[in-house]
Amino acid sequence: MRTKLLILIMTTLALTACQQGQASNDPSVERLPPQPLVEPIDPTTDPVAAVKARRKQMIDQQPLSAMRAEIMALIGDAQADNIQQCRVVEFGSKPCGGPASYIALSTKDGNESEIMTLISKYNAAQKAENARLGLMSDCAVVPKPGVILENGVCTLKGAGNGSVF
């Protein structure tokens, strides 16, 4: 009896979930495409505006290499007093998805939130750049390595060695 009740509940939930995602079949409701995030500027009709927009876009986008250098400078040598201060973090983005590598960092200096924010921005920027350039990769999953404390420095160890250090 209990099994039949469970099957009935699961079937009801599955059917209602399918119905919620369906579009309306009402012909009076007009479906409009979403508005573009950035208004396109045709360089043939307005070359000055196109150049200005491109310059603004270039200023707004910090190059990935500069972002990476800033992150590495903040991490430094990843020195720690004990293993609890060491972290393994996804670093970069593969075109197929997932992390490009991993990086070891230390929480000893107390700037973990700042570093994590920058790494998050870097990962998002690399993902966007991969999409913009239409890059492809091997789509292999980079296994997450462990971290060890070696001579007072957080160091990645094992599992693929897809590391930056």
Side-chain angles (χ1 to χ4, degrees):
M1 181 67 179
R2 189 176 201 181
T3 307
K4 289 181 182 179
L5 180 62
L6 183 62
I7 291 172
L8 178 65
I9 291 172
M10 295 300 287
T11 305
T12 305
L13 289 174
L15 290 175
T16 56
C18 291
Q19 299 248 341
Q20 290 175 356
Q22 293 179 349
S24 172
N25 292 333
D26 186 5
S28 64
V29 176
E30 183 181 0
R31 294 183 57 176
L32 300 173
Q35 295 295 321
L37 296 176
V38 177
E39 185 177 327
I41 299 173
D42 184 10
T44 57
T45 58
D46 194 357
V48 174
V51 169
K52 285 181 181 177
R54 180 67 182 146
R55 283 187 185 149
K56 183 181 182 319
Q57 183 182 23
M58 295 300 288
I59 290 170
D60 290 345
Q61 294 177 347
Q62 186 179 12
L64 289 175
S65 58
M67 292 175 77
R68 181 185 174 97
E70 183 180 4
I71 291 167
M72 294 306 200
L74 280 172
I75 292 173
D77 293 335
Q79 294 182 355
D81 297 326
N82 57 51
I83 193 70
Q84 286 77 25
Q85 293 175 333
C86 297
R87 302 280 185 271
V88 177
V89 181
E90 297 177 352
F91 193 67
S93 177
K94 291 183 100 173
C96 286
S101 63
Y102 290 89
I103 190 168
L105 60 93
S106 172
T107 62
K108 180 180 176 181
D109 294 333
N111 59 354
E112 180 184 13
S113 62
E114 180 183 359
I115 292 172
M116 294 303 291
T117 300
L118 290 174
I119 289 174
S120 178
K121 287 179 182 178
Y122 175 80
N123 292 349
Q126 190 170 44
K127 183 177 181 179
E129 186 72 359
N130 291 341
R132 185 182 73 82
L133 296 175
L135 296 180
M136 294 175 40
S137 71
D138 59 5
C139 298
V141 175
V142 178
K144 186 174 182 176
V147 65
I148 60 171
L149 187 61
E150 195 171 273
N151 298 325
V153 177
C154 299
T155 308
L156 296 178
K157 185 75 171 175
N161 291 330
S163 62
V164 175
F165 289 134

